[in-house]
Amino acid sequence: MVAIVGVGYSGFNSTTPDLSWKEIMYEAALRAYTDAGINPRRDVDSFVTCAEDIYEGFAIFDEFVPDQLGAVVKPTCTVCADFLYGVATAYMQIKSGLADIAVVESHSKASDIQTFGNVVKFAMDPIWLRNIGNAHPYYLAALEMFQYMAQRCLSEEDVARVVVKNKNNALLNPSAPYAANVTIDDVMASPKLFDPMKKMEIAPLADGCVVFVLASDEVARELTDSPVWVKGVGWWSETYGYDTASFSAMYTYKAAKMAYRMAGIENPAKEVDFAEVDDRFAFKELQHLETLQLAGKFEVARLMAEGYFDKDGSLPVNVSGGNLGVGNLLECTGGQKALEVVLQLRGEAGRRQLSDVEIGVAQAWRYLPTHSGAVAVFGV
Amino acid sequence: MIEKIVNPKELRHWDGKIELYWVYTSGKAGDEFFKKLKEEDKFLAAKCKKCGKVYFPPRIYCEKDFSETEFVEVSGEGCVRAFTVARLDAYEKPLDNPEIYALIDIDGTDGCLIHLLGEVEPENVEVGMKVKPVLKPKDEREGRITDILYFKPL
Amino acid sequence: MEVEKISGLKFHKKQDVAIVGAGMTTFKRRLNETGRELSYLAIKQALEEAGITIDDVEMVVMGSAPDTFDGLHMKSEYLLDGSGGSDRPYMRVFVGGGTGVFAPIAGYWHVASGLADVCLVITEEKMSSSYPHPQSAFKYIWDPILDRPLSPNLIWIFALEMRRYMHVHNIKHEDIALVSVKNKANALDHPCAQVAEKITVEDVLNSEPMALPVRRLDVSPPSDGAAALIMVAPHIARQLTDNPVWVTGVGWALDTTWWTNRDLYFPRYVAEAAKMAYRMAHITDPRKEIDVAEPYDPFDYKELHHMEGLGLAKKGEAPILTREGVTQRDGDLPTCPSGGLLGVGNPIAATMGVKACEIYWQLAYRAGKRQVAKEVTTGVCQAWGDLMQVGTVMVMSNKR
Amino acid sequence: MAVGKKDIECPPYAEGTPLSDEDIKEGKVTYVEDHPDIRYSWTAGQAISKFLNGLKEGKILGVKCNKCGRVMVPPRMFCELCYKPIDGWVELKDTGTVETFSISYIDPDAKPLPEPVIVAVISIDGASPHMGIMHILDEVKPEDVYIGMKVKAVWKGEEEREGAITDIKYWKPVEG
């Protein structure tokens, strides 16, 4: 078993004009090490950072990682993926005996990016897709949303309810810059930028950093009396091309299957107490809930309307406010999800604390234009 | 941190860019496809020799079983599976003319293409609508996906 | 300044890791194939050598260096379908130029942790996409505020490091040029080689100056290419082959971003990485126990520099070993028998083909014309990257 | 699992299709060009903001750590070896020593430069040994530069300075 023995974060804010990317990493890392009660220069065997170069504005971001994590001349690497992939990497390193204590870091300095649309476009296939038309690549999500709504017979209100739930949940989270007391009418009145997708259904960008300290069974018990265990972790890629993609988040289905098998969970809808899922586009939350098998294919929207996924519902989802409330944290998205799950499991979530929670799921997608994602199951 | 700057005017930003010119070769499958399109107005797909899946856009391998593929000719026509009207450009500024993007299932293949729709009003687009590609005049073609201007209703 | 030791490693792994197949594409200045087509071609070879199909592969590790070469943000996702990542757990690891050996290290922990029994490691680079020159992409590896305003070229850091190395040990350029001569000649036997040729020390010393002391023939060329490796658990290896090659040690280390704050004459990041790998492989005297080595040689002095970091030569001794012919293919410590990056080409991450793959082929006695003269049991490969920061080391052996 | 390893004499390799620059220029193969507009505005942060503001005033600022005793430049808010906050700021001299140098004949795009540029790592006086920055040397012939040479910063005029590393035009040998 692998445990989380320390967490730290910095943010989350819409901009961070006072701190460089190095300094937000330092702030978050220092808090995580203090939380775990370790000295990174002495105790940590491996450092993993999750970053994509073009989000950062460097050709090789890995260069700029070690100092602020306390990782100078120590095993340190970059995983070009979401934070949860980093958790998987640390998990494997600990399981293979390469590390007893491993640190995972991920951050977003989205406010440094001046042309976000072009950055996403830069990830699109240059030969077959990138230069068609002039629109913002959000249209790719809109196409997927269109098909998903058609297949699941969803109304626009069904999707709008996700925004209402998450932005209101975020009001109880002091680190959620996009919290708002919106109603379904507000969302429905928000302009349709990419039919059928509305402005409010797109998560705006945010800055922040999350650092986790993971440890092997033995070491974790030495460090803390109440570790949070990584019960299972899974990551999966479906395909790259839109011609072969399922348009129904199969990547999450497969990643969840892998994570649940590892965690020994047979009936996720019953066994999972709460979840933090990727909602960088509102419809994605519905899609991800379905593929995480937390609700039946055609039930998700009905349950959402009935309040099943509310913070006082049977299976609270995105109590933190999700990306719609906290913001799009790029590769740190999974970090914010995992952080919320750990805080809830430890009982440290403040006014949004859920009662009697033992198993939580964090899930993240690799954002446009990909069909990859990861899932982690945490428990106490 | 023990001390921090308190005067926001002392905080600095540094502007810069990642600016390069990239030249992407279309590759083996792409080269075949675009040359055929440019010279002969014809469309190619690729069929897996093992499982029979027909890829569009074509590729030289089957991504599921890693077998080789063979090129097959298709009409290039297809049906709209999903569409959206995009109103913002890449800088999040309103587009003067909203663009209709569609996911088009190409006839005779298991694949699809994302491209623009033209010669049709947004309110008249329907799922399942048959569309066909409109190509640039032959002498203006460059062997790129933008040689297809848009798809229009059949 | 003291460097703290890596502590607490017990190496209590779930299972051993064997390599059973490898493959690569030709390395050329520019190839027509897209990155994913190159990946596909390399994987086909590796699967064939291992005698398995893509369906047997459980997980995939992708190694690829800067996105700015291929001209694709999140390029692992773009390369996914040709890299066997379709419908599988697929992850890209990245430590700059060190990725060539780091990708198999990541493959190692996928298998050693017990999460995968068959792991495919694929590395790809298509540097030719970047215009006007692949080196232009390196403009963006520098600190945007402190370095980029000085309009630096990538070669600068090498030149600065090379000068310091030459100065501290009083090494002549002639001795360093011998590495280029040796590797480019070794590459004549490599079917994938881009710049294999017979040259002399004078050719190197008289070649066009780039950033002195670095001259044209001191440098490896930018290339397009891909390489693949199949790593499996022992029970799978047994089914596939009688003589697999085992991964006995891995190590990696990343030094400070502030490279101008260090004395550049010695690669302590390689030394730390090697220390970790040797400890795991129970190697106490690398010079005696290592039979064949593939240190990273993007520049000729780098081979020497890295041999010293790997403990294959004492500080300042590597040029002497080279002059005495110890590092020739028929020498006592054959070094870069593949022809290395200087001879075969330098498609950054895909150099796994001449590093990890080459050591595998050497230890499996499958290197053909490139097979070293002496009997081999243990080999080491190493790569280096970032702003002279990363050392990645993997030790392999044909004895378990 | 399939049949197992085939007995191949030579390691396998796949032949690619090489192209030359001419093949691209003449349009022998199809290709796409792109020149995306990707811009950033990096936050300099606490340490570098202060450093840049110092340069504007003609000062080189460093930081010190009382635990390891190092005086560091470029400045940072934490000592990366002790992993603790720095203990204060130090104004350094604008003189230094050449740690290593190179004579560059090429620009960032690998194109030949009209005149070679001398680049060096210069350890700054007042900071700990080997604590240097990368910068340009001038007012010296390439053949006269040596490791250990004492150099001095040549600043831009006060009104021209904008708080950038290029506020130092270059470094020149200290006379005598």
Side-chain angles (χ1 to χ4, degrees):
Chain A
M1 291 261 272
V2 172
I4 291 160
V5 294
V7 297
Y9 67 102
S10 167
F12 307 96
N13 298 309
S14 55
T15 58
T16 325
D18 55 333
L19 299 177
S20 68
W21 79 92
K22 284 185 185 173
E23 289 158 357
I24 49 171
M25 283 167 76
Y26 173 72
E27 284 202 350
L30 186 61
R31 286 183 186 145
Y33 300 148
T34 311
D35 186 30
I38 57 163
N39 172 357
R41 304 293 301 143
R42 185 190 63 212
D43 302 323
V44 178
D45 302 314
S46 170
F47 298 82
V48 180
T49 190
C50 307
E52 277 285 355
D53 296 341
I54 310 293
Y55 281 150
E56 312 290 342
F58 300 89
I60 307 179
F61 182 70
D62 191 54
E63 295 164 4
F64 299 93
V65 166
D67 301 51
Q68 55 271 29
L69 294 180
V72 173
V73 213
K74 289 194 145 211
T76 308
C77 69
T78 298
V79 170
C80 296
D82 186 83
F83 182 87
L84 295 179
Y85 283 74
V87 171
T89 301
Y91 182 92
M92 287 189 280
Q93 289 179 349
I94 291 172
K95 282 277 180 190
S96 51
L98 290 169
D100 280 335
I101 299 183
V103 166
V104 185
E105 183 276 345
S106 175
H107 63 276
S108 156
K109 199 77 169 79
S111 61
D112 282 0
I113 305 173
Q114 298 294 296
T115 55
F116 182 68
N118 285 339
V119 167
V120 177
K121 252 182 132 163
F122 195 44
M124 288 156 65
D125 190 325
I127 298 151
W128 297 99
L129 187 56
R130 194 188 293 172
N131 293 320
I132 296 174
N134 303 302
H136 196 288
Y138 285 151
Y139 79 80
L140 291 169
L143 285 174
E144 184 168 347
M145 175 174 172
F146 182 98
Q147 188 181 335
Y148 180 70
M149 285 175 70
Q151 282 172 347
R152 299 287 181 272
C153 313
L154 299 180
S155 69
E156 290 187 17
E157 284 83 357
D158 288 331
V159 181
R161 269 186 210 105
V162 176
V163 185
V164 176
K165 171 177 74 73
N166 290 358
K167 283 204 181 277
N168 280 288
N169 277 353
L171 287 167
L172 293 182
N173 182 353
S175 322
Y178 299 107
N181 56 342
V182 292
T183 64
I184 191 140
D185 294 337
D186 295 333
V187 183
M188 292 301 287
S190 139
K192 261 191 198 171
L193 297 179
F194 303 86
D195 287 37
M197 190 180 286
K198 302 183 188 67
K199 189 174 181 198
M200 262 203 235
E201 292 170 358
I202 302 170
L205 295 169
D207 289 357
C209 177
V210 175
V211 176
F212 273 21
V213 181
L214 279 77
S216 64
D217 204 322
E218 214 178 297
V219 175
R221 286 180 207 280
E222 277 172 37
L223 286 171
T224 171
D225 298 330
S226 51
V228 171
W229 301 101
V230 182
K231 299 230 165 204
V233 55
W235 67 104
W236 207 278
S237 291
E238 196 180 314
T239 184
Y240 172 76
Y242 279 82
D243 58 324
T244 37
S246 69
F247 278 73
S248 53
M250 280 309 279
Y251 54 88
T252 300
Y253 177 76
K254 293 286 186 72
K257 224 168 126 175
M258 178 174 168
Y260 290 148
R261 200 179 55 220
M262 219 184 274
I265 290 177
E266 277 164 14
N267 187 347
K270 285 220 177 83
E271 291 172 61
V272 172
D273 295 324
F274 69 106
E276 284 282 316
V277 308
D278 196 321
D279 56 331
R280 281 183 276 186
F281 298 100
F283 80 99
K284 277 275 168 191
E285 174 164 322
L286 301 171
Q287 210 183 40
H288 289 149
L289 284 174
E290 167 192 324
T291 44
L292 283 168
Q293 299 178 65
L294 297 178
K297 255 188 188 179
F298 290 94
E299 282 173 1
V300 184
R302 179 176 56 80
L303 291 172
M304 182 75 67
E306 288 171 9
Y308 184 82
F309 301 118
D310 286 358
K311 64 176 180 295
D312 50 3
S314 316
L315 203 164
V317 171
N318 285 338
V319 188
S320 65
N323 296 105
L324 291 163
V326 177
N328 176 359
L329 293 165
L330 307 179
E331 300 298 10
C332 187
T333 294
Q336 184 265 333
K337 310 278 173 209
L339 173 75
E340 179 69 15
V341 172
V342 171
L343 293 180
Q344 291 284 357
L345 291 173
R346 284 179 170 187
E348 293 173 0
R351 287 188 57 203
R352 59 186 193 284
Q353 180 64 47
L354 302 167
S355 53
D356 301 327
V357 283
E358 282 174 1
I359 301 268
V361 168
Q363 177 268 341
W365 161 52
R366 289 213 60 206
Y367 204 57
L368 292 174
T370 77
H371 308 280
S372 303
V375 173
V377 181
F378 300 102
V380 285
Chain B
M1 276 166 227
I2 290 175
E3 52 175 305
K4 274 191 182 176
I5 293 172
V6 288
N7 179 356
K9 285 183 186 155
E10 286 176 17
L11 291 168
R12 296 286 306 268
H13 273 267
W14 195 267
D15 292 338
K17 40 180 139 177
I18 288 190
E19 184 180 34
L20 283 175
Y21 297 81
W22 281 281
V23 169
Y24 307 91
T25 52
S26 330
K28 269 188 157 170
D31 205 33
E32 200 84 25
F33 176 91
F34 289 118
K35 279 185 176 154
K36 198 92 173 167
L37 181 71
K38 190 175 157 193
E39 307 298 339
E40 303 173 37
D41 294 15
K42 283 182 177 150
F43 286 80
L44 288 182
K47 184 177 179 182
C48 171
K49 287 182 182 167
K50 196 169 157 200
C51 69
K53 187 173 162 116
V54 183
Y55 285 95
F56 189 92
R59 47 200 82 173
I60 58 167
Y61 49 85
C62 171
E63 69 174 74
K64 297 290 173 208
D65 55 35
F66 260 47
S67 308
E68 285 176 11
T69 59
E70 57 191 359
F71 290 111
V72 289
E73 219 172 90
V74 293
S75 67
E77 293 170 6
C79 309
V80 172
R81 171 151 45 112
F83 66 95
T84 180
V85 185
R87 296 197 168 82
L88 291 188
D89 70 6
Y91 299 92
E92 305 198 22
K93 298 271 179 315
L95 280 166
D96 293 337
N97 299 307
E99 295 175 342
I100 314 174
Y101 283 86
L103 191 68
I104 300 155
D105 285 324
I106 302 294
D107 291 349
T109 75
D110 298 307
C112 64
L113 192 67
I114 293 176
H115 216 297
L116 299 166
L117 293 186
E119 297 180 37
V120 63
E121 290 306 314
E123 52 274 21
N124 297 332
V125 183
E126 286 167 35
V127 173
M129 187 168 79
K130 288 283 283 181
V131 289
K132 67 176 230 185
V134 177
L135 300 180
K136 274 187 188 167
K138 208 163 194 166
D139 50 336
E140 287 175 26
R141 287 181 209 162
E142 301 167 294
R144 295 174 190 174
I145 193 68
T146 43
D147 285 355
I148 305 174
L149 290 168
Y150 51 82
F151 282 69
K152 68 168 187 185
L154 206 65
Chain C
M1 181 164 50
E2 225 179 288
V3 178
E4 285 170 58
K5 289 204 179 80
I6 304 152
S7 64
L9 300 192
K10 296 184 196 74
F11 305 123
H12 41 68
K13 57 178 174 276
K14 260 282 209 309
Q15 54 189 7
D16 282 337
V17 182
I19 298 179
V20 293
M24 64 193 283
T25 66
T26 45
F27 290 176
K28 288 287 171 291
R29 173 67 184 83
R30 177 177 289 108
L31 291 169
N32 186 24
E33 283 79 1
T34 59
R36 58 230 293 214
E37 287 172 348
L38 288 173
S39 304
Y40 161 75
L41 292 171
I43 291 172
K44 274 291 250 195
Q45 304 300 323
L47 291 173
E48 193 176 333
E49 194 189 11
I52 60 172
T53 67
I54 193 77
D55 295 329
D56 300 319
V57 173
E58 291 176 356
M59 292 188 187
V60 181
V61 174
M62 146 65 56
S64 197
D67 287 354
T68 42
F69 287 133
D70 291 54
L72 275 146
H73 169 43
M74 291 188 169
K75 80 169 155 185
S76 60
E77 298 293 329
Y78 169 74
L79 296 169
L80 192 154
D81 59 357
S83 305
S86 181
D87 209 20
R88 257 180 213 96
Y90 170 83
M91 198 185 299
R92 171 181 171 205
V93 291
F94 181 38
V95 287
T99 311
V101 171
F102 193 70
I105 292 177
Y108 170 85
W109 71 57
H110 275 68
V111 178
S113 63
L115 257 61
D117 284 340
V118 182
C119 181
L120 165 68
V121 180
I122 169 74
T123 54
E124 177 276 350
E125 211 72 60
K126 194 167 160 71
M127 297 173 79
S128 66
S129 299
S130 157
Y131 262 62
H133 193 276
Q135 273 179 23
S136 310
F138 285 115
K139 279 191 274 195
Y140 304 105
I141 69 167
W142 302 87
D143 185 295
I145 303 172
L146 300 179
D147 293 339
R148 286 188 215 174
L150 301 172
S151 334
N153 178 289
L154 166 80
I155 310 281
W156 286 13
I157 46 171
F158 298 98
L160 294 168
E161 192 178 60
M162 178 168 169
R163 172 89 67 190
R164 186 81 199 159
Y165 175 60
M166 290 166 75
H167 171 79
V168 170
H169 296 306
N170 201 11
I171 297 164
K172 290 206 216 58
H173 201 158
E174 286 83 339
D175 285 341
I176 290 175
L178 281 170
V179 175
S180 196
V181 175
K182 164 177 75 79
N183 289 5
K184 283 183 195 290
N186 278 352
L188 287 166
D189 294 326
H190 205 304
C192 301
Q194 179 178 350
V195 283
E197 53 189 338
K198 274 246 171 297
I199 56 164
T200 63
V201 169
E202 284 67 40
D203 292 337
V204 180
L205 296 184
N206 296 327
S207 61
E208 166 200 348
M210 295 181 84
L212 290 178
V214 174
R215 290 175 180 271
R216 172 74 62 194
L217 288 175
D218 289 313
V219 190
S220 59
S223 321
D224 288 358
L229 205 58
I230 312 279
M231 303 178 93
V232 300
H235 65 280
I236 306 282
R238 221 171 294 130
Q239 292 175 48
L240 292 173
T241 174
D242 295 332
N243 30 18
V245 171
W246 302 93
V247 180
T248 51
V250 299
W252 68 103
L254 180 56
D255 208 336
T256 171
T257 311
W258 305 112
W259 61 276
T260 54
N261 290 177
R262 287 188 266 131
D263 197 336
L264 300 172
Y265 85 101
F266 181 71
R268 67 175 188 198
Y269 41 91
V270 174
E272 281 300 309
K275 197 153 84 185
M276 176 175 170
Y278 291 154
R279 209 144 64 90
M280 193 168 156
H282 305 291
I283 288 175
T284 46
D285 184 354
R287 175 68 183 87
K288 283 212 183 94
E289 292 171 64
I290 302 275
D291 302 313
V292 53
E294 275 284 350
Y296 205 59
D297 61 329
F299 289 70
D300 44 12
Y301 83 95
K302 265 289 178 193
E303 174 174 318
L304 307 171
H305 209 222
H306 291 151
M307 282 173 68
E308 294 172 16
L310 286 168
L312 300 175
K314 291 194 204 86
K315 286 183 185 177
E317 191 198 24
I320 302 165
L321 295 182
T322 306
R323 202 166 49 211
E324 289 170 350
V326 175
T327 59
Q328 293 288 345
R329 212 180 264 158
D330 55 1
D332 186 43
L333 178 66
T335 306
C336 291
S338 64
L341 281 55
L342 286 164
V344 186
N346 184 7
I348 314 288
T351 53
M352 184 174 85
V354 289
K355 297 294 157 201
C357 297
E358 181 70 13
I359 292 295
Y360 157 70
W361 283 320
Q362 291 287 350
L363 297 180
Y365 287 95
R366 296 165 77 84
K369 280 203 288 192
R370 304 194 301 279
Q371 188 65 44
V372 300
K374 69 184 282 200
E375 199 182 313
V376 286
T377 49
T378 307
V380 65
C381 57
Q382 173 262 338
W384 150 94
D386 289 4
L387 284 171
M388 302 186 287
Q389 280 172 282
V390 178
T392 51
V393 177
M394 190 154 107
V395 183
M396 292 181 236
S397 173
N398 51 23
K399 300 230 160 52
R400 199 170 171 179
Chain D
M1 197 59 58
V3 281
K5 192 173 279 197
K6 291 194 195 115
D7 200 21
I8 312 168
E9 204 145 276
C10 186
Y13 72 97
E15 200 85 57
T17 318
L19 293 176
S20 66
D21 279 349
E22 281 64 43
D23 293 337
I24 296 271
K25 276 188 203 126
E26 289 164 13
K28 267 196 187 155
V29 292
T30 57
Y31 62 91
V32 184
E33 286 161 297
D34 203 4
H35 178 221
D37 171 27
I38 298 176
R39 281 177 282 124
Y40 303 86
S41 182
W42 294 280
T43 313
Q46 299 288 332
I48 300 298
S49 288
K50 207 156 171 172
F51 181 63
L52 295 178
N53 294 340
L55 289 172
K56 195 167 163 48
E57 291 168 25
K59 291 179 198 158
I60 300 174
L61 295 179
V63 293
K64 65 167 193 269
C65 169
N66 287 347
K67 192 171 171 205
C68 62
R70 293 187 309 157
V71 176
M72 296 167 263
V73 64
R76 54 214 79 168
M77 293 311 288
F78 45 86
C79 172
E80 72 275 10
L81 297 183
C82 306
Y83 209 67
K84 64 178 274 296
I86 47 118
D87 292 293
W89 289 77
V90 188
E91 190 183 330
L92 306 174
K93 298 208 180 102
D94 66 348
T95 54
T97 312
V98 172
E99 286 277 315
T100 175
F101 67 97
S102 165
I103 299 138
S104 178
Y105 289 79
I106 46 173
D107 78 350
D109 292 320
K111 293 204 188 77
L113 286 167
E115 283 291 315
V117 168
I118 311 170
V119 56
V121 174
I122 300 155
S123 58
I124 310 288
D125 289 340
S128 300
H130 301 305
M131 239 353 128
I133 60 167
M134 182 175 77
H135 219 287
I136 308 291
L137 298 186
D138 209 336
E139 290 188 39
V140 59
K141 287 199 204 119
E143 55 272 26
D144 294 339
V145 186
Y146 58 95
I147 289 175
M149 186 168 78
K150 298 295 282 177
V151 290
K152 182 172 170 46
V154 177
W155 294 84
K156 279 186 184 167
E158 201 175 333
E159 58 296 339
E160 283 174 70
R161 292 204 288 261
E162 46 180 354
I165 191 72
T166 46
D167 286 351
I168 298 174
K169 283 199 279 190
Y170 52 83
W171 298 65
K172 65 169 188 184
V174 177
E175 279 97 342

